[in-house]
């Protein structure tokens, strides 16, 4: 049940909404999965998203050729499998279609274009105050539970580079790259060699551009599959029986046998193994879908770190100068939680849970985190099931005693002092 009061007196109207259920921030896969769990258990909720659609990371910030790089069984959300005719690695549009059906099936209707500005626990009334802005209107939700589902990839990382202001060509982040169309014949510097850098470079090759990819430190490259079997699936099976260090050793032997020694192409491996590094630092190994072959054939040139840019060129740390037309920053993403959540118990200053997986999903005072496990969509589903169950349990215990209070400007003042 929702009680709300509208104030038309100010330049910006202000609404105060008291909820008999949680606010979920973010309508990506994590927020939708929590919504589904709550819907099944009859708990009312509100989902807000700053974007104008569900799964905005997938709809608005990814390139056309993107496919899920883990097999579909690791990427489906709880209670609703992918359609049986989906391929092993669904394309982005198929994943988006699936998420749209998911939202429809569980009657999830997020409030779009509504960005959360701040969320703070009010000790005096023991409720969360979640402030959002939608159009010219400020809204304050007052609720018992707050679910953070804004993702590990909420904001693009744009590092500073000396001289980049003087660079005359086009500079974009990988989140704004759609395809290599328009880059034909161009010399493009791709900064970063994670999955984005690799796949953007591959796409540029396929559109007859000339990419150089910056590898400033090291990266694990694994085959996406060996003998028709997914490397990720193999790793997941082995993890049930063996310690992570042993699984990593097996993966590295496998990678060496199938891909060869990559050092001669300028690609060093980190000292820590691929799964251990993913779990501890969130650094995802590259699951190769063809970039490596282009690297081996010289179509993608590997270059070391950047020293500085100047008009039409880049100087690298080894002193080499490259003429370039464009720069694509495949430099990754980060959480935005610290910018709006006034809390420092569950989340670190980097906006990730302080407690490692499988902890980290539950904080104090009705605060929850979903989708910050560094384990992709399967980690998000794991969290979502727990969070929905936990909230539903308390909601059902307490809801009979819940006293709904009519909320207006007076209640605003009462809560604020
Ligand atoms: C290019 C790319 C490919 C990937 N491929 C895979 C894959 O194949 N398999 C896999 O398991 N994982 C993959 N991932 C990891 C990815 O994090 C998950 O797929 C998934 O999108 C995580 O879902 P989420 O809901 O936690 O976060 P997101 O999908 O990022 O959704 C978060 C939502 O929160 C909203 N939001 C953020 N801040 C605010 C705010 N202040 N107020 C209101 N709304 C806000 C955003 O608009 C967004 O819609 C990929 C990531 C990227 C970047
Ligand atoms: N098909 C799929 O499913 C895809 C999945 N993804 C996922 O999206 C997430 C984000 O991936 P991605 O966008 O590749 O980001 P990542 O964080 O994985 O990689 C960022 C890259 O940028 C480099 N970098 C950062 N700053 C600088 C700098 N100043 N100079 C030079 N290099 C720099 C990093 O190098 P260093 O390591 O030295 O810091 C690293 O190589 C990952 O989880 C990934 O798996 C992405 C694309 C496709
Ligand atoms: O693509 C991503 O960002 C993911 O998080 C998926 C993922 C989770 N665990 C992994 C281990 C190896 C490669 C990808 C992943």
């Amino acid at each position: 049940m929702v009680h709300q009061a509208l104030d038309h007196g100010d330049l910006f109207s202000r609404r105060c909404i008291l909820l008999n259920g949680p606010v979920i921030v973010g309508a990506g896969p994590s927020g939708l999965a929590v919504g589904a769990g709550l819907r099944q258990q009859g708990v009312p909720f509100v989902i807000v998203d700053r974007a104008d659609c569900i799964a905005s990371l997938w709809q608005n910030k990814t390139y056309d050729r993107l496919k899920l790089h883990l097999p579909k069984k690791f990427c489906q959300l709880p209670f609703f499998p992918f359609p049986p005719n989906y391929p092993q690695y669904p394309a982005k549009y198929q994943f988006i279609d699936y998420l749209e059906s998911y939202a429809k099936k569980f009657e999830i209707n997020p409030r779009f274009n509504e960005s959360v500005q701040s969320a703070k626990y009010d000790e005096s009334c023991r409720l969360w105050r979640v402030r959002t802005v939608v159009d010219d209107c400020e809204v304050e939700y007052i609720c018992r539970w707050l679910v953070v589902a804004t993702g590990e990839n909420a904001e693009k990382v744009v590092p500073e580079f000396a001289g980049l202001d003087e660079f005359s060509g086009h500079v974009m982040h990988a989140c704004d790259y759609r395809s290599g169309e328009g880059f034909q014949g161009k010399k493009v510097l791709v900064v970063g060699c994670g999955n984005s850098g690799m796949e953007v470079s591959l796409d540029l090759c396929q559109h007859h551009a000339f990419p150089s990819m910056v590898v400033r430190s090291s990266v694990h490259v694994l085959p996406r599959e060996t003998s028709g079997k997914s490397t990720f699936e193999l790793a997941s099976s082995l993890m049930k029986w063996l310690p992570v260090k042993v699984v990593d050793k097996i993966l590295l032997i496998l990678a060496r046998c199938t891909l060869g020694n990559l050092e001669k192409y300028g690609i060093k491996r980190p000292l820590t193994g691929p799964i251990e590094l993913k779990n501890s630092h969130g650094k995802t190994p590259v699951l190769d879908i063809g970039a490596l072959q282009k690297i081996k054939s010289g179509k993608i040139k590997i270059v070391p770190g950047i020293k500085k840019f100047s008009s039409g060129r880049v100087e690298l740390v080894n002193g080499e100068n490259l003429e370039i037309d464009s720069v694509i920053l495949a430099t990754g993403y980060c959480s935005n939680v610290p910018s709006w959540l006034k809390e420092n118990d569950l989340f670190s200053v980097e906006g990730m849970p302080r407690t490692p997986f499988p902890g980290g999903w539950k904080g104090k005072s009705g605060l929850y985190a979903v989708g910050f496990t560094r384990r992709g969509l399967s980690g998000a589903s794991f969290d979502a099931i727990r969070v929905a169950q936990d909230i539903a349990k308390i909601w059902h215990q307490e809801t009979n005693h819940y006293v709904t209070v009519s909320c207006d400007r007076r209640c605003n003042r009462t809560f604020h002092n």
Side-chain angles (χ1 to χ4, degrees):
M1 192 187 300
V2 172
H3 293 273
Q4 56 176 281
L6 252 171
D7 173 9
H8 294 290
D10 300 328
L11 179 61
F12 290 102
S13 66
R14 220 172 274 146
R15 276 191 299 165
C16 173
I17 302 178
L18 183 68
L19 294 175
N20 178 21
V23 164
I24 301 169
V25 188
S30 298
L32 296 176
V34 178
L38 292 171
R39 177 70 74 226
Q40 283 193 328
Q41 296 174 81
V43 179
F45 59 89
V46 163
I47 302 194
V48 294
D49 200 293
R50 63 182 173 185
D52 59 359
C53 58
I54 62 157
S56 65
L57 178 70
W58 287 86
Q59 306 222 46
N60 300 337
K61 296 182 179 177
T62 53
Y63 41 91
D64 299 341
R65 64 170 294 128
L66 177 66
K67 287 183 177 167
L68 293 175
H69 67 172
L70 305 186
K72 59 181 173 180
K73 72 169 173 188
F74 296 101
C75 297
Q76 60 198 9
L77 300 184
F79 323 118
F80 188 58
F82 282 125
N85 62 337
Y86 267 31
Q88 176 77 326
Y89 300 97
K92 137 173 144 168
Y93 81 90
Q94 291 174 311
F95 186 54
I96 293 166
D97 282 354
Y98 163 77
L99 293 174
E100 295 281 9
S101 329
Y102 193 87
K104 208 167 162 194
K105 176 170 172 67
F106 296 102
E107 297 170 58
I108 300 171
N109 298 302
R111 299 183 180 209
F112 292 124
N113 302 305
E114 190 163 344
S115 175
V116 172
Q117 308 294 304
S118 77
K120 195 173 189 295
Y121 187 65
D122 190 332
E123 294 285 353
S124 64
C125 56
R126 290 194 277 161
L127 294 168
W128 284 92
R129 295 175 162 277
V130 184
R131 287 178 183 258
T132 70
V133 170
V134 51
D135 299 326
D136 281 349
C137 185
E138 279 180 16
V139 181
E140 183 173 58
Y141 296 96
I142 298 174
C143 53
R144 168 91 164 72
W145 299 278
L146 174 62
V147 180
V148 179
T150 45
E152 297 165 352
N153 301 305
E155 308 297 332
K156 59 186 171 189
V157 170
V158 180
E160 281 189 12
F161 293 101
L164 192 57
D165 302 350
E166 289 158 40
F167 179 67
S168 40
H170 189 48
V171 182
M172 64 159 77
H173 191 274
C175 68
D176 297 313
Y177 178 92
R178 294 292 165 270
S179 93
E181 230 168 80
F183 287 93
Q184 193 178 358
K186 302 279 185 218
K187 296 188 270 310
V188 187
L189 185 74
V190 178
V191 186
C193 58
N195 281 295
S196 298
M198 291 278 181
E199 290 188 17
V200 165
S201 298
L202 174 62
D203 192 56
L204 285 166
C205 278
Q206 289 170 346
H207 286 86
H208 310 290
F210 303 104
S212 297
M213 185 171 69
V214 174
V215 182
R216 70 164 175 183
S217 59
S218 55
V219 61
H220 280 297
V221 183
L222 303 173
R224 189 181 65 173
E225 287 177 345
T226 15
S227 322
K229 179 125 171 104
S230 144
T231 307
F232 180 84
E233 187 163 6
L234 174 74
S236 305
S237 314
L238 293 174
M239 288 288 288
K240 290 182 192 136
W241 310 103
L242 300 168
V244 65
K245 281 189 196 300
V246 179
V247 175
D248 273 344
K249 284 231 161 65
I250 295 170
L251 291 180
L252 291 175
I253 293 167
L254 194 91
R256 179 72 187 229
C257 293
T258 51
L259 308 176
N261 178 9
L262 306 182
E263 281 221 20
K264 62 181 174 207
Y265 305 107
I267 300 177
K268 272 192 278 175
R269 286 196 182 276
L271 295 175
T272 312
I275 303 296
E276 193 180 353
L277 195 63
K278 171 74 175 158
N279 294 347
S280 60
H281 289 81
K283 189 164 169 173
T284 319
V286 167
L287 292 174
D288 180 50
I289 56 161
L292 203 55
Q293 196 245 318
K294 300 285 183 195
I295 292 168
K296 289 178 176 175
S297 68
K299 293 257 163 59
I300 300 173
K301 182 178 153 83
I302 300 296
V303 300
I306 293 162
K307 194 161 173 207
K308 64 175 186 332
F309 287 91
S310 55
S311 170
R313 324 174 138 274
V314 61
E315 186 184 337
L316 304 168
V317 290
N318 62 359
E320 193 187 343
N321 273 277
L322 290 182
E323 268 184 32
I324 44 167
D325 300 305
S326 309
V327 177
I328 298 174
L329 300 172
T331 43
Y333 300 87
C334 62
S335 162
N336 67 11
V337 173
S339 71
W340 58 269
L341 182 65
K342 312 295 171 218
E343 187 266 0
N344 50 22
D345 198 38
L346 181 60
F347 284 92
S348 71
V349 286
E350 282 85 36
M352 295 293 287
R354 290 177 188 279
T355 315
F357 184 82
W361 58 275
K362 185 175 180 178
K364 289 181 185 151
S365 316
L367 178 65
Y368 296 90
V370 179
F372 296 90
T373 65
R374 295 175 163 146
R375 276 158 181 80
L377 292 156
S378 59
S381 296
F382 182 93
D383 282 344
I385 292 170
R386 267 153 200 77
V387 170
Q389 274 172 352
D390 207 63
I391 294 175
K393 198 172 112 201
I394 310 166
W395 188 88
H396 284 295
Q397 280 165 6
E398 290 186 1
T399 204
N400 292 339
H401 315 290
Y402 200 86
V403 183
T404 48
V405 188
S406 155
C407 183
D408 57 17
R409 293 263 294 175
R410 274 173 298 136
C411 98
N412 239 358
R413 278 204 299 275
T414 316
F415 280 128
H416 270 227
N417 59 28

